[in-house]
Amino acid sequence: MKATFGEYIKQLRVCKGFTLTQLAFQLGLDSANLSKIENGKREFDEKRLEKLASTFNLDIEKLKTEYFADQFAKKMYQYNCSPETLVVAEEKVNYLKKVNVKQGKIKFEDEK
Amino acid sequence: MKATFGEYIKQLRVCKGFTLTQLAFQLGLDSANLSKIENGKREFDEKRLEKLASTFNLDIEKLKTEYFADQFAKKMYQYNCSPETLVVAEEKVNYLKKVNVKQGKIKFEDEK
DNA sequence: GCTTAATTTGTCAATTATTGACAAGTTAAA
DNA sequence: TTTAACTTGTCAATAATTGACAAATTAAGC
């Protein structure tokens, strides 16, 4: 899968023969906005990933991978980050996990 | 460098013997907020990367790498993304670059 | 051609998130 | 116990994102 997340959604949609309006309804948004999402002019909201997965019967984990990879790639491209960035990111994920095990949960804003 | 970006800033600051107030002044923010940044309770604003680099005489590219890697890692950790995500991200960066060469600039919101 | 559905684009108010600022609290060193 | 350093809480101001609708364009069928 080399396409952007928007292109990916469009692919899924067209493949199943849905119109924008139909899919937008499933996802609980406006067809105009779905169009923008498909064309990379708006972001897909993370909270709709589950609905997207169930609509197309996709593995939610794979979908998350596509989704976040897309976000990272866009940032990298936009800010012209070195490829090294992803290597360092991997180290940092491991660091966070290790610290987490040692010290207990690191809380993010959206956790209670 | 395995630490978070906040820990990294603190390291730099303490190493040079600066107080929060001193560094905060250099960066144009409040010492209370810098404290939060160092402790991971607020995000460092991308627009201050240059100032941070010049204050500590750091290579801006390396700093960017640290900075964005930190952001990606936090998201990965927060949403429990598979490690695969970073591999896919790399593919997608290449895809974006290729598409860009073929079709001309992809514009982001903050470009004119 | 004409008609109608599908898609895209523009705009904007409303919601939501982020920031800057300051006060009040705690910790640490002398 | 005083003074500086740091941390935490709060909140208004600012900024970013979203949802919604109208209008414009494109595509398909007749």
Side-chain angles (χ1 to χ4, degrees), chain A residues 50-68:
Chain A
E50 292 268 15
K51 269 188 184 168
L52 189 63
S54 65
T55 299
F56 291 109
N57 237 279
L58 301 168
D59 175 24
I60 181 69
E61 284 308 314
K62 291 218 173 188
L63 202 55
K64 265 172 58 187
T65 299
E66 279 297 315
Y67 178 71
F68 288 106

Side-chain angles (χ1 to χ4, degrees), chain B residues 30 32-33 36 42 45 48:
Chain B
D30 195 63
N33 290 325
K36 285 170 198 160
R42 280 227 183 165
D45 194 321
R48 272 188 265 259

Side-chain angles (χ1 to χ4, degrees), chain B residues 2-110:
Chain B
K2 279 96 143 275
T4 66
F5 198 71
E7 288 167 347
Y8 177 53
I9 292 177
K10 181 165 194 171
Q11 213 172 285
L12 289 167
R13 178 176 66 81
V14 171
C15 197
K16 288 266 183 181
F18 291 163
T19 66
L20 280 171
T21 309
Q22 289 171 323
L23 179 54
F25 176 75
Q26 289 289 324
L27 298 175
L29 52 77
D30 195 63
S31 68
N33 290 325
L34 180 54
S35 167
K36 285 170 198 160
I37 289 168
E38 287 188 350
N39 294 298
K41 315 212 154 128
R42 280 227 183 165
E43 288 308 311
F44 187 81
D45 194 321
E46 181 264 329
K47 74 184 177 217
R48 272 188 265 259
L49 280 179
E50 292 267 15
K51 269 187 183 166
L52 189 63
S54 64
T55 300
F56 292 109
N57 236 279
L58 301 168
D59 176 23
I60 181 69
E61 284 308 314
K62 290 218 174 187
L63 202 56
K64 264 172 57 188
T65 299
E66 279 298 316
Y67 178 71
F68 288 106
D70 183 73
Q71 291 200 341
F72 299 164
K74 277 180 186 154
K75 267 243 158 100
M76 296 261 296
Y77 180 75
Q78 183 177 7
Y79 287 98
N80 220 275
C81 297
S82 91
E84 175 76 1
T85 308
L86 295 173
V87 180
V88 178
E90 189 176 10
E91 289 170 13
K92 283 178 186 290
V93 174
N94 293 331
Y95 174 75
L96 286 176
K97 283 184 186 160
K98 212 186 308 177
V99 169
N100 176 248
V101 169
K102 278 207 207 120
Q103 308 182 348
K105 274 234 272 223
I106 293 173
K107 50 253 133 293
F108 287 96
E109 302 68 34
D110 54 356

Side-chain angles (χ1 to χ4, degrees), chain A residues 100 104-112, chain B residues 40-41 77:
Chain A
N100 177 245
K105 274 234 273 223
I106 293 174
K107 51 253 132 292
F108 288 96
E109 303 68 33
D110 54 356
E111 295 185 49
K112 67 164 178 316
Chain B
K41 315 212 154 128
Y77 180 75

